[in-house]
């Protein structure tokens, strides 16, 4: 498909855009996701060291508005990108975006034929401490794929569209590759199972209904910026003494979780989910230099979740991203009891009592519109 567009000369494509769509705007909204089997460690150009598996959320989204205008100087090699992040100029993000656009020039040959003004904002509170790179890059990638179709006139099936959107999203942030799919998705090749690709994520459709009702209460322990970024964390895996053991373990957990999603075994889900979360943070603690992103309240909450599960018998469990906040996962059937537990036992350990009531995304959504 991309070969097809490369057959256009740049001049022809520029003339076509200038004549048919010299300017316009589109808005794209995409959600974040939470990984159950984690991606931690990468190689080459944003390729994962192990397959990962997540579900996309429903409420925690990034909304990106992209305005474009045909550039007057198509040959000058510059990338025209202006960025407003949460209504403010953000030079650091703008630079990151420009580097990203430059890295995907070959995949999106219109990138240096138009100038972009991009405004992006999150639907979750600014201080929620939720990584917005997955939803942010997914929204940009889906918008760019839509422009790709519009500008070139090339027809794409849904599968082709999302495969390429996921590839583009991955080049911005690895975990973003999974956010272009609306519920369970995986990214990475699993050799023994003979499935997947390191270049883009794929949806998992045949999931037991109990998992399609999964809730995610995002418990905000600390919303301050992370001391060590995920990019640095991935880099530290290169020299990590447990790296190979981790990649092997992730492969096994992935295989077991994939089957668990089909057979609806909540006990197995809980066991893999918590083991993956603790492993991620153990890898940080045993990296060189060592670091810890969990806070005392993170541990207090984890301990209370385990004891609530033990005493109530409800199938609740936790996971964490690369940060101090806790994602409390549970099926819809026990929502009432779990919300009571959060309000009475966990809220005192949260920053300003903050938590977000989210859930696994549903298959259908309106996420893209042209002005
Ligand atoms: O996509 P990145 O580079 O921000 O890395 C994300 C890593 C984790 O969130 C910790 C795990 C994952 O698979 O999402």
């Amino acid at each position: 498909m991309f070969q097809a567009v490369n057959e256009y000369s740049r001049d022809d494509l520029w003339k076509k855009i200038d004549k048919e769509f010299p300017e316009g705007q589109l808005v794209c909204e995409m959600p974040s996701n939470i990984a159950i089997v984690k991606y931690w460690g990468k190689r080459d150009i944003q390729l994962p060291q192990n397959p990962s598996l997540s579900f996309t959320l429903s409420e925690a989204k990034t909304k990106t508005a992209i305005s474009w205008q045909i550039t007057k100087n198509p040959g000058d090699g510059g990338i025209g990108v202006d960025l407003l992040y949460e209504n403010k100029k953000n030079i650091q993000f703008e630079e990151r975006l420009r580097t990203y656009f430059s890295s995907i020039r070959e995949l999106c040959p219109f990138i240096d034929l138009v100038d972009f003004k991009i405004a992006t904002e999150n639907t979750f509170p600014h201080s929620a401490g939720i990584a917005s790179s997955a939803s942010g890059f997914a929204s940009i990638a889906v918008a760019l794929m839509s422009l790709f179709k519009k500008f070139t006139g090339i027809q794409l099936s849904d599968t082709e569209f999302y495969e390429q959107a996921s590839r583009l999203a991955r080049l911005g942030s690895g975990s973003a590759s999974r956010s272009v799919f609306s519920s369970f998705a995986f990214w990475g090749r699993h050799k023994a199972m003979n499935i997947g690709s390191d270049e883009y994520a794929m949806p998992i459709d045949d999931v037991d209904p109990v998992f399609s009702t999964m809730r995610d209460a995002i418990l905000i322990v600390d919303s301050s910026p992370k001391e060590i970024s995920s990019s640095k964390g991935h880099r530290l895996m290169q020299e990590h003494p447990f790296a190979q053991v981790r990649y092997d373990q992730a492969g096994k957990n992935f295989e077991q979780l994939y089957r668990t999603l089909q057979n609806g075994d909540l006990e197995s889900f809980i066991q893999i989910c918590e083991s993956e979360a603790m492993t991620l943070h153990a890898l940080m603690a045993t990296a060189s230099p060592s670091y810890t992103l969990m806070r005392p309240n993170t541990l207090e909450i984890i301990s209370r979740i385990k004891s609530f599960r033990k005493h109530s018998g409800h199938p609740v469990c936790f996971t964490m991203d690369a940060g101090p906040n806790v994602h409390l996962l549970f099926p819809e059937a026990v929502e009432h009891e779990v919300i009571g537990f959060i309000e009475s036992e966990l809220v005192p350990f949260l920053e300003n009592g903050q938590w977000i009531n989210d859930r696994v995304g549903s298959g259908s959504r309106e996420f893209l519109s042209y002005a």
Side-chain angles (χ1 to χ4, degrees):
M1 178 189 67
F2 286 117
Q3 281 82 341
V5 81
N6 286 336
E7 283 161 17
Y8 272 101
S9 79
R10 278 169 47 90
D11 252 14
D12 287 349
L13 189 57
W14 186 83
K15 280 184 197 140
K16 178 168 158 50
I17 299 171
D18 190 33
K19 187 162 161 238
E20 296 175 28
F21 319 102
E23 59 180 24
Q25 195 200 33
L26 83 164
V27 177
C28 181
E29 219 175 68
M30 297 296 284
S32 192
N33 69 77
I34 179 70
I36 310 301
V37 173
K38 314 284 183 187
Y39 144 62
W40 200 239
K42 59 179 160 184
R43 61 191 166 80
D44 304 330
I45 309 174
Q46 204 93 298
L47 297 174
Q49 290 283 14
N50 63 263
S52 56
L53 197 161
S54 62
F55 64 80
T56 297
L57 297 168
S58 207
E59 302 299 326
K61 293 188 247 183
T62 299
K63 186 173 175 182
T64 300
I66 300 189
S67 311
W68 77 89
Q69 191 157 41
I70 189 87
T71 185
K72 296 292 165 247
N73 306 302
D76 73 357
I79 299 269
V81 177
D82 273 350
L83 175 72
L84 281 185
Y85 177 76
E86 305 276 358
N87 285 320
K88 287 197 203 85
K89 190 94 187 146
N90 186 316
I91 302 289
Q92 201 192 339
F93 283 4
E94 192 175 88
E95 246 339 284
R96 181 169 177 196
L97 206 56
R98 211 166 275 137
T99 309
Y100 169 64
F101 272 42
S102 171
S103 75
I104 57 170
R105 267 180 166 141
E106 255 183 53
L107 298 177
C108 297
F110 56 87
I111 277 211
D112 40 10
L113 304 180
V114 293
D115 292 325
F116 295 100
K117 280 196 169 42
I118 300 181
T120 176
E121 55 189 59
N122 300 319
T123 58
F124 40 93
H126 184 63
S127 60
I130 300 176
S132 53
S133 63
S135 47
F137 277 103
S139 64
I140 291 173
V142 168
L144 288 176
M145 273 314 292
S146 177
L147 287 178
F148 176 96
K149 269 178 70 180
K150 192 178 184 77
F151 292 160
T152 63
I154 292 177
Q155 292 302 312
L156 299 174
S157 66
D158 269 7
T159 308
E160 287 169 326
F161 181 94
Y162 286 107
E163 181 181 307
Q164 296 304 343
S166 174
R167 186 193 301 269
L168 285 178
R170 176 203 111 227
L171 290 163
S173 164
S175 54
S177 65
R178 300 180 309 243
S179 261
V180 307
F181 299 105
S182 54
S183 65
F184 284 86
F186 74 104
W187 168 44
R189 176 94 190 126
H190 195 292
K191 282 207 192 97
M193 293 171 78
N194 196 20
I195 56 168
S197 163
D198 285 347
E199 309 233 336
Y200 51 87
M202 295 175 187
I204 306 178
D205 297 323
D206 42 356
V207 165
D208 186 277
V210 73
F211 295 118
S212 319
T213 72
M214 200 52 99
R215 301 286 166 140
D216 179 1
I218 308 170
L219 309 170
I220 313 301
V221 171
D222 185 350
S223 66
S224 38
K226 282 187 276 188
E227 288 151 35
I228 306 273
S229 68
S230 288
S231 310
K232 176 120 197 250
H234 286 295
R235 266 203 306 283
L236 289 176
M237 285 304 287
Q238 284 165 9
E239 302 292 319
H240 201 291
F242 305 139
Q244 198 49 55
V245 178
R246 161 59 191 160
Y247 303 144
D248 294 345
Q249 176 210 39
K252 288 190 189 121
N253 281 347
F254 176 89
E255 185 165 2
Q256 198 185 331
L257 180 63
Y258 197 91
R259 299 194 198 301
T260 294
L261 290 180
Q262 287 162 352
N263 65 29
D265 181 349
L266 274 167
E267 234 172 79
S268 162
F269 180 89
I270 290 170
Q271 190 271 320
I272 299 166
C273 185
E274 294 190 348
S275 154
E276 279 286 318
M278 294 314 282
T279 300
L280 173 68
H281 285 264
L283 288 166
M284 297 173 193
T286 49
S288 176
S290 151
Y291 65 107
T292 317
L293 297 180
M294 288 191 286
R295 294 284 168 264
N297 282 354
T298 312
L299 294 173
E300 181 63 41
I301 289 171
I302 288 176
S303 143
R304 284 175 184 251
I305 292 172
K306 286 187 172 175
S307 120
F308 174 72
R309 177 167 70 229
K310 191 165 170 206
H311 293 115
S312 67
H314 294 319
V316 298
C317 63
F318 67 85
T319 187
M320 284 173 281
D321 237 325
N325 304 321
V326 179
H327 291 245
L328 173 55
L329 309 184
F330 52 94
E332 190 173 34
V334 293
E335 186 186 15
H336 182 72
E337 295 82 343
V338 177
I339 289 184
F341 160 64
I342 295 172
E343 299 288 0
S344 64
E345 280 209 47
L346 302 184
V347 161
F349 301 101
L350 305 181
E351 186 181 86
N352 303 322
Q354 254 192 115
W355 64 281
I356 296 171
N357 191 353
D358 213 330
R359 63 173 72 192
V360 65
S362 69
S364 61
R365 56 192 168 162
E366 270 299 317
F367 59 84
L368 193 77
S369 60
Y370 281 88

